[in-house]
Amino acid sequence: MTAVATVTISGGGGAFNPSTLSLSSGTKVTWTNTGNSRARVRDVGHVLLDSDDLYSGQSYSFTFCSGGTYLIEDQRSGARSTISVNGGGPTPTPSASPSPTASPS
């Protein structure tokens, strides 16, 4: 059974509740916009998760599988939240693909 955590976003004023979470890898986090303005939940690096626009009453879920500390933001209001995930190994860092090498002629 997957563990579940719930976070609300009060759109407009922009605040996450709770603003910090500590959870185990494999936990599914659901953000729900309880405000009247749209919200957009994403990681600050913009590589892990992105809810696109959430209007009042809409939700977005993401399962954290890798250990680490994640800074999450509501791109619309600037509100920030920290999620600490225990276990599951580190999140891989995106890297550039190696350039092809010319073969000797």
Side-chain angles (χ1 to χ4, degrees):
M1 179 176 204
T2 302
V4 177
T6 302
V7 179
T8 59
I9 312 159
S10 58
F16 289 101
N17 185 20
S19 62
T20 59
L21 283 174
S22 182
L23 42 96
S24 299
S25 64
T27 300
K28 177 180 169 181
V29 177
T30 300
W31 293 268
T32 301
N33 184 356
T34 60
N36 293 320
S37 299
R38 66 186 172 154
R40 184 174 182 178
V41 177
R42 63 186 187 178
D43 63 296
V44 172
H46 310 177
V47 296
L48 185 65
L49 62 98
D50 188 341
S51 70
D52 211 2
D53 284 336
L54 296 176
Y55 292 89
S56 185
Q58 291 183 318
S59 296
Y60 171 77
S61 296
F62 182 84
T63 301
F64 287 88
C65 297
S66 298
T69 300
Y70 302 90
L71 187 56
I72 306 298
E73 69 178 353
D74 172 5
Q75 186 260 333
R76 301 291 177 211
S77 70
R80 292 201 171 185
S81 173
T82 303
I83 297 179
S84 298
V85 180
N86 299 308
T91 301
T93 303
S95 60
S97 300
S99 300
T101 336
S103 56
S105 4

